[in-house]
Amino acid sequence: MISLVLQAERIAARWVASLASAALGFPSMASYSGFRILTEGLTGNSGWRPAWRKPEPKPAYDAIVIGGGGHGLATAFYLASIHGITNVAVLERGPIGMGNTGRNTTIVRSNYLLPENHHFYEHSLKLWEGLEQSLGYNVMMSQRGVLNLFHSDAQRNAFTRRGNAMRLAGIDAELIGPAEVKAMCPLIDLDNARYPVMGGLLQRRGGTARHDAVAWGFAHAADARGVDIIEHCEVTSMIIEGGAIMGVRTTRGDIMAPKVGLAVAGNTSVLCAMAGLTVPVESHLMQAFVSEGLKPLIDHVITFGAQHFYISQSDKGGLVFGGGLDGYSSYGQRGTLPEAEHIFAAGASLMPGLKRVRALRSWAGVMDMTPDASPYICLTPIKGLTLTGGWNYGGFKATPGSGWCHAWTMAKQEPHRLNAAYTLTRFKEGRMLDEKGAGPFFWMQ
Ligand SMILES: Cc1cc2nc3c(=O)[nH]c(=O)nc-3n(C[C@H](O)[C@H](O)[C@H](O)COP(=O)(O)OP(=O)(O)OC[C@H]3O[C@@H](n4cnc5c(N)ncnc54)[C@H](O)[C@@H]3O)c2cc1C
C-alpha cells in the first residue's frame, strides 16, 4: 500500500515537472512514460522529439563543463537540478558518451576499504538506486550482486577486513563460502589446481547499469533543465587572466565563463596542461570484450581474485568481460593481443566452460590513472577552474557521485565533505589514499 502511494506521488511529481518544463519551452521530462509509449505506438511513433537539443554555443555562460561523458553530463545535471545554475554549457569534442562512459564493463559497487572511498562510493550507489526516478530515464540499473572471489588465506583476511570496514560504515557486505559460490555460479571451477576458490566477498546491492543510457539519461535530464549540450566542440586552450579562468577557446569559437569544470578522464593531463598545470595522472589503455549472445549463464558480476578478470552477462545475452591495463601509456583506443590473451586465459582458468565461447567485439579506453588508485574532485590553483578526474578504471560507478560532488565544488568553489580528501595536493601532504596498497605506481593500481 505504502509503495503504491509512493509510486503515485512519483508519477504526480513527474507530471508537475513535465508541465513546468513544457511551460519553459524545454523538452518534456515525462516523454518516456508508459502512457506516452502506448499513445505513440498507436499513432505511428511520429511524436517523439530528440532526447536533447543541438544548440549553437552562446558567447558566455555562468559555467562550462568540459567533457560530455557521464561525469561531465552528471555535473551539469546536478548544477541545474540542485544548485539552480542552469546557464551551463557542456562542451564535448565528439558525440556524447563515446569516451570511457561508452566503453566500460558497467560494474557499479561501493565495496571500498578506505573510509574516504567507501563513503563517497556509497553516496554514489545511493544516487544510482534512485537515478531512474531523478532522470525520468531507464538506465537499466540491475542490482544483481558483485562477488569478489578469494583464493588464499591471506586474501580471505584482506577481504574480511574490507567487508568489516564496509559494514561498520553501514554498507552491505557478506563473506560467503565455496558452496554458496558454486550455488550462485555453477560454471566456476572451485577446485582449480593453481587458484582454488575459497569463497568470496559479496555486495548484493552492487550490479550493472546500461552505460550508453546513463550518458543519454543525464543529457536528456540536463537539457530539460536548460543546459546546452554542445557536441563536436573541442576545447583547444584556456583563457586565463590574473590567475583566474575567464573562458575557453574551442573549435567553435571562444566561450566565456567564470567557472569551468574539467571532466575529461584520459585527457585530464592534456586539459590541465592547457591551464599550465602538471597533475599526477598517467593515461593508460584498458580493454573490454563481449561474447556472442548466450542463454542466461551468469546471474551476477563475478571477479577473479587470482588474476585480473571480471565478468557479467548483458541483458542481450553477451558475456561482458575485461582485465587489467595493457601496461604502457597511450591515447589509442585499441588494445594489444598479449593482454587480450591474458584475459582469455584468466577467464578459462576460472570458468573452463568459457573456452568454447566466441568473443564478438573488443575495444579499449584511455584510463586516467593516479598514483594511489583514488580520484580527484577538487579546486585547482587556477581560480574558478575545478576538476573531476583520476578515475583509474573505476569511474563508471562513480558517475552520479562524481557529478554530484563536482557540481557542489563548482557551485560553491569549495569541496563537499565527501570529496574533501580527493585533492591534487594530498601526495605533497602525505595524505595518500592508497586503496590498493600498491604503492606510488600508476601502472600497478
Ligand atoms: C574497458 C574499460 C572497462 C571499465 N570498466 C569499468 C567498470 O566496470 N566499472 C567502473 O566503475 N568503471 C569502469 N571503467 C572506467 C569508467 O569507464 C571511467 O572511469 C568513466 O566512464 C569515466 O567517465 P568520464 O565521463 O570521466 O569520461 P569519458 O566518458 O571518457 O568522458 C570524457 C569526455 O571528454 C571529452 N574530451 C576530451 N578532451 C576534450 C576536449 N579537449 N574538448 C572537449 N571534450 C573533450 C572526450 O571526448 C570524452 O567524451 C572502465 C573503463 C574501461 C576503458
Side-chain angles (χ1 to χ4, degrees):
M1 184 62 193
I2 291 173
S3 77
L4 274 179
V5 172
L6 286 174
Q7 211 162 337
E9 277 177 2
R10 275 203 293 266
I11 292 169
R14 287 257 195 91
W15 275 104
V16 171
S18 153
L19 290 174
S21 57
L24 291 168
F26 300 135
S28 168
M29 290 163 59
S31 49
Y32 301 110
S33 67
F35 178 70
R36 181 80 195 279
I37 289 169
L38 182 70
T39 48
E40 285 294 336
L42 294 173
T43 54
N45 282 306
S46 54
W48 295 113
R49 277 178 290 166
W52 58 93
R53 297 161 297 132
K54 304 274 180 194
E56 284 301 312
K58 294 192 279 195
Y61 289 89
D62 294 336
I64 288 173
V65 182
I66 308 177
H71 290 231
L73 294 162
T75 301
F77 168 71
Y78 290 116
L79 272 174
S81 62
I82 295 184
H83 301 283
I85 304 175
T86 54
N87 186 23
V88 176
V90 177
L91 308 182
E92 167 52 52
R93 70 178 174 187
I96 63 162
M98 298 286 274
N100 290 344
T101 298
R103 293 168 179 270
N104 62 71
T105 43
T106 77
I107 301 168
V108 170
R109 58 186 171 86
S110 64
N111 55 0
Y112 284 72
L113 170 70
L114 302 178
E116 293 84 350
N117 285 337
H118 60 222
H119 287 308
F120 167 79
Y121 284 101
E122 177 63 8
H123 177 65
S124 196
L125 185 52
K126 286 190 174 140
L127 290 172
W128 278 111
E129 286 172 331
L131 197 61
E132 288 165 344
Q133 278 73 32
S134 311
L135 302 181
Y137 203 92
N138 182 6
V139 301
M140 295 168 73
M141 178 68 183
S142 161
Q143 291 180 288
R144 59 184 69 182
V146 173
L147 177 61
N148 300 149
L149 300 175
F150 53 80
H151 311 267
S152 67
D153 290 337
Q155 206 172 26
R156 177 175 33 215
N157 289 348
F159 280 27
T160 307
R161 182 177 169 224
R162 176 146 57 107
N164 283 338
M166 290 165 61
R167 289 171 72 116
L168 282 171
I171 303 167
D172 70 305
E174 286 167 53
L175 209 66
I176 64 170
E180 284 165 283
V181 169
K182 194 74 180 169
M184 283 176 77
C185 184
L187 262 191
I188 293 175
D189 176 16
L190 291 186
D191 305 319
N192 183 306
R194 243 172 119 191
Y195 307 117
V197 176
M198 295 172 68
L201 182 65
L202 172 65
Q203 186 179 28
R204 290 192 193 273
R205 287 165 58 242
T208 59
R210 168 85 196 274
H211 47 10
D212 306 310
V214 172
W216 302 333
F218 272 117
H220 174 66
D223 176 271
R225 287 162 178 80
V227 171
D228 282 358
I229 296 163
I230 302 167
E231 294 167 282
H232 304 288
C233 180
E234 181 168 359
V235 173
T236 52
S237 60
M238 310 263 170
I239 305 169
I240 296 170
E241 280 173 25
I245 193 88
M246 297 286 154
V248 293
R249 303 228 134 88
T250 80
T251 46
R252 294 175 70 175
D254 292 358
I255 309 177
M256 309 306 284
K259 291 179 180 175
V260 175
L262 299 179
V264 290
N267 283 278
T268 298
S269 49
V270 177
L271 270 289
C272 283
M274 290 179 193
L277 304 173
T278 306
V279 288
V281 172
E282 273 188 14
S283 296
H284 283 263
L285 281 189
M286 199 167 87
Q287 305 187 55
F289 304 83
V290 173
S291 79
E292 59 191 325
L294 301 165
K295 286 186 179 170
L297 266 182
I298 299 175
D299 297 337
H300 313 278
V301 177
I302 314 263
T303 75
F304 193 12
Q307 297 177 33
H308 216 139
F309 177 79
Y310 37 88
I311 189 163
S312 65
Q313 188 163 19
S314 78
D315 293 345
K316 280 199 292 187
L319 301 179
V320 182
F321 55 97
L325 299 177
D326 268 37
Y328 64 95
S329 301
S330 169
Y331 290 96
Q333 290 179 316
R334 281 186 304 176
T336 59
L337 281 177
E339 182 56 26
E341 192 180 8
H342 170 82
I343 292 168
F344 281 88
S349 175
L350 179 67
M351 301 177 182
L354 294 187
K355 285 183 195 159
R356 299 181 56 191
V357 174
R358 280 170 295 192
L360 210 61
R361 289 183 285 127
S362 76
W363 62 87
V366 187
M367 317 310 317
D368 34 339
M369 303 301 295
T370 66
D372 61 357
S374 297
Y376 311 117
I377 310 177
C378 56
L379 306 173
T380 71
I382 308 291
K383 190 166 175 259
L385 182 68
T386 55
L387 163 69
T388 176
W391 288 103
N392 296 273
Y393 36 76
F396 178 66
K397 69 182 77 66
T399 305
S402 158
W404 194 96
C405 288
H406 190 209
W408 176 290
T409 308
M410 279 186 84
K412 301 188 185 296
Q413 293 293 301
E414 64 179 31
H416 186 268
R417 67 182 160 72
L418 283 168
N419 62 303
Y422 292 159
T423 62
L424 285 166
T425 51
R426 62 182 182 257
F427 306 101
K428 262 201 281 190
E429 296 158 359
R431 295 178 210 271
M432 262 174 92
L433 298 171
D434 193 1
E435 179 66 33
K436 291 184 75 181
F441 306 106
F442 295 84
W443 51 274
M444 278 186 70
Q445 301 301 338

